[in-house]
Amino acid sequence: MSGIIHFNLFEMNCVGHIQHGLWTHPANNRHRYTDLDYWTDLAKLLERGLFDAVFLADVVGAYDRFRGGPETAIREAVQIPANDPLLVVPAMAAVTRHLGFAVTFSTTYEPPFAHARRMSTLDHLTKGRVAWNVVTSYLRSAARNFGLDDEIEHDRRYEIAEEYLEVLYKLWEGSWEDGAVLRDRDRHVYTDPAKVHPIDHVGKHFRVAGPHLSEPSPQRTPVIYQAGNSERGKEFAARHAEAVFTGAFSLEAVREDIADTRRRAAAYGRNPEHITFFPSASVIVARTQFEVDAKLADLQRHIRPEGFLAQRGSGIDLAAYDPGELIDDIVARGGDFTERAIRPLAGRGLRVRDVLDSVGRVGQGGPFFVAGTPERVADEIERWADETGATGFNLMQYLSPGTAEDFIELVVPELQRRGRYRTSYEDSTLRERLLGPGVHRLPATHPGAAHRRQP
Ligand code: FMN
């Protein structure tokens, strides 16, 4: 097989993102997330390493289901404190030319008009390097932060998200015609008003008059990323996503997930090749296996199972269950917090003790884990990409920026030798980088394109 394998770095504007406890490691810089230098240094590093993008996750509430409150999450810095992901992008854009920025924003709590303008602004300032990871948010605590008593029911959140995107497509694609902006000094015409239109959206959830306040940005609609796992989430991805973070837990499941999403996309009349796929990857690499083993042991000493338990599945307290109980039985009993909390673990014959044992072990948390020499890591990356059809990977960090540095120093050259990693950037928008030269706007078969005005 051949073809370039793409990489995003998985990040979050916080101390403890995925690998809990490791902020105490002396080589970790995560606690510097409040310094602009942390972000600009990281962006420069990733651009040196020819990464596609940095992906910034986000949540808008505290993990407060574990042991009945947020104390564990707060003490262990499990995604709290967490700052806004959008605001670090312009700083990173200023010190790079090619790196993409995928930012997470929820469709559930803040109305679409202001978000449309923020994303257009970012697309302008980055010259078309921005993506939006669309989430519907999964924490009850988030709902309470935005004036609700409880979470909106899962499928209804996706129904709201559908209309949210419809509004945004109208603003991004339909409100301003190409050629509306004239910047004609002699005639005093910045914009031709005949080519700027209200959207007059009146729907079940939103009423938005328009016109959009931003002039068209290089990509108009940012590249749409999504990570739905449920039936409803996958349908949403099939309709809207251009990049999917698959949450599947094994090579076979990732392969099936990708094929399934492509099939669903084709059923919506989209070109299935216009969706790219990024499973998460955890990589520990060193020149010798001896060094790899030492690194693993070193990381393991700092990992905190408490932190994982507080975050895992919105904070279900697995320790409160009988260790011998089958996960399938807990899921079958139902209850609100089993919905997403442990459902992904069902159907695999696992017992509570198996899950507890795996929590806090370096290597848990995603489908793809490899600890080895550069050759072995590259072998596994190639095998996974080729056997699943994944476009690339979302690299998780253990130490920041150490994990990315190791990868760039040791794995990238090995993949380049094999012709599987770019050796330079093309001048392109993020969408072109993923979908091919010239595709800087939504492809014609994407539902957002239907909101364009015909000249
Ligand atoms: N949800 C968030 O609220 N914020 C995030 O930053 C976020 N990042 C994710 C990253 C990956 C790699 C995956 C697999 C999921 C992420 N999610 C995030 C959760 C998804 O948006 C989604 O809610 C979850 O996969 C469950 O799928 P469902 O919404 O179809 O039930």
Side-chain angles (χ1 to χ4, degrees):
M1 282 291 287
S2 62
I4 297 300
I5 301 171
H6 296 251
F7 280 86
N8 299 308
L9 188 76
F10 199 15
E11 254 289 355
M12 186 163 171
N13 194 351
C14 70
V15 180
H17 173 205
I18 293 283
Q19 300 296 349
H20 300 300
L22 287 178
W23 68 272
T24 59
H25 193 289
N28 208 346
N29 272 291
R30 288 227 66 90
H31 62 285
R32 288 185 49 231
Y33 77 103
T34 51
D35 287 353
L36 211 54
D37 287 353
Y38 171 83
W39 297 101
T40 52
D41 288 349
L42 185 67
K44 285 188 269 189
L45 170 72
L46 296 177
E47 186 150 287
R48 264 202 309 283
L50 304 172
F51 268 60
D52 287 85
V54 54
F55 161 41
L56 292 152
D58 194 36
V59 294
V60 285
Y63 290 88
D64 61 359
R65 308 297 297 277
F66 183 63
R67 303 206 168 123
E71 290 79 6
T72 309
I74 292 172
R75 192 176 55 244
E76 303 274 340
V78 176
Q79 302 192 355
I80 180 171
N83 280 347
D84 191 297
L86 274 62
L87 297 180
V88 293
V89 169
M92 290 194 282
V95 297
T96 53
R97 265 191 64 194
H98 303 284
L99 185 69
F101 307 98
V103 290
T104 299
F105 192 84
S106 174
T107 52
T108 302
Y109 300 115
E110 296 182 58
F113 186 77
H115 180 59
R117 183 164 67 144
R118 277 196 292 264
M119 292 307 291
S120 293
T121 306
L122 286 182
D123 202 47
H124 277 299
L125 295 179
T126 62
K127 296 199 172 5
R129 292 189 271 152
V130 90
W132 170 29
N133 177 38
V134 183
V135 299
T136 60
S137 295
Y138 49 70
L139 293 169
R140 181 184 292 179
S141 61
R144 291 185 176 160
N145 288 337
F146 290 91
L148 306 176
D149 290 332
D150 203 348
E151 278 186 286
I152 298 170
E153 188 269 324
H154 177 271
D155 285 10
R156 216 166 77 76
R157 294 204 300 271
Y158 275 104
E159 179 196 304
I160 295 169
E162 282 287 342
E163 191 183 328
Y164 200 102
L165 265 76
E166 188 188 334
V167 172
L168 293 180
Y169 295 147
K170 287 177 179 173
L171 291 166
W172 286 328
E173 299 291 330
S175 186
W176 290 58
E177 291 181 36
D178 284 340
V181 177
L182 298 175
R183 293 192 194 103
D184 185 335
R185 286 189 158 93
D186 295 338
R187 293 196 300 134
H188 281 266
V189 181
Y190 191 87
T191 305
D192 177 357
K195 293 189 171 173
V196 178
H197 310 277
I199 65 164
D200 290 327
H201 175 89
V202 180
K204 189 166 166 196
H205 305 285
F206 304 111
R207 292 177 54 147
V208 181
H212 190 31
L213 292 179
S214 303
E215 63 181 89
S217 64
Q219 300 182 117
R220 283 187 178 249
T221 299
V223 179
I224 305 286
Y225 280 49
Q226 206 258 357
N229 268 326
S230 61
E231 186 61 22
R232 197 69 187 75
K234 284 182 177 176
E235 283 296 304
F236 187 89
R239 264 177 63 70
H240 301 283
E242 302 177 273
V244 172
F245 298 127
T246 153
F249 273 89
S250 68
L251 187 147
E252 293 70 27
V254 170
R255 177 167 53 211
E256 178 43 36
D257 220 24
I258 291 174
D260 179 43
T261 305
R262 287 202 200 280
R263 270 194 301 273
R264 291 173 195 245
Y268 282 117
R270 292 184 64 194
N271 179 344
E273 297 306 315
H274 285 164
I275 309 187
T276 55
F277 294 88
F278 294 88
S280 300
S282 304
V283 172
I284 293 171
V285 63
R287 285 182 210 284
T288 65
Q289 192 58 44
F290 181 79
E291 285 175 87
V292 170
D293 294 341
K295 266 189 185 174
L296 262 170
D298 179 40
L299 293 175
Q300 190 62 63
R301 271 194 294 278
H302 292 83
I303 289 266
R304 291 278 293 179
E306 289 274 300
F308 286 90
L309 287 169
Q311 188 205 348
R312 174 60 64 79
S314 317
I316 184 173
D317 187 359
L318 271 179
Y321 287 82
D322 173 356
E325 186 162 12
L326 271 171
I327 295 294
D328 294 13
D329 292 343
I330 297 176
V331 171
R333 276 209 307 279
D336 59 341
F337 61 91
T338 59
E339 187 186 303
R340 270 165 320 291
I342 52 174
R343 206 205 279 144
L345 301 171
R348 299 199 277 155
L350 294 173
R351 292 181 188 277
V352 168
R353 92 165 62 79
D354 302 322
V355 178
L356 288 175
D357 284 352
S358 77
V359 164
R361 204 177 294 142
V362 173
Q364 64 84 46
F368 178 100
F369 170 72
V370 57
T373 59
E375 296 74 23
R376 177 157 146 57
V377 171
D379 284 349
E380 277 300 277
I381 287 171
E382 280 199 274
R383 183 170 78 85
W384 268 65
D386 294 343
E387 293 188 14
T388 62
T391 314
F393 297 88
N394 231 358
L395 185 70
M396 309 251 208
Q397 292 216 90
Y398 291 100
L399 303 179
S400 184
T403 304
E405 281 171 347
D406 288 351
F407 188 84
I408 289 165
E409 187 191 335
L410 299 173
V411 182
V412 167
E414 182 59 31
L415 287 171
Q416 283 172 330
R417 257 191 296 282
R418 301 175 185 203
R420 302 305 302 269
Y421 200 93
R422 70 168 59 83
T423 52
S424 64
Y425 286 111
E426 304 286 322
D427 256 330
S428 70
T429 59
L430 182 57
R431 181 170 283 113
E432 283 175 290
R433 190 173 303 145
L434 295 177
L435 300 188
V439 194
H440 53 103
R441 300 235 170 121
L442 283 177
T445 61
H446 189 282
H451 296 282
R452 279 181 199 141
R453 281 173 186 270
Q454 301 310 322

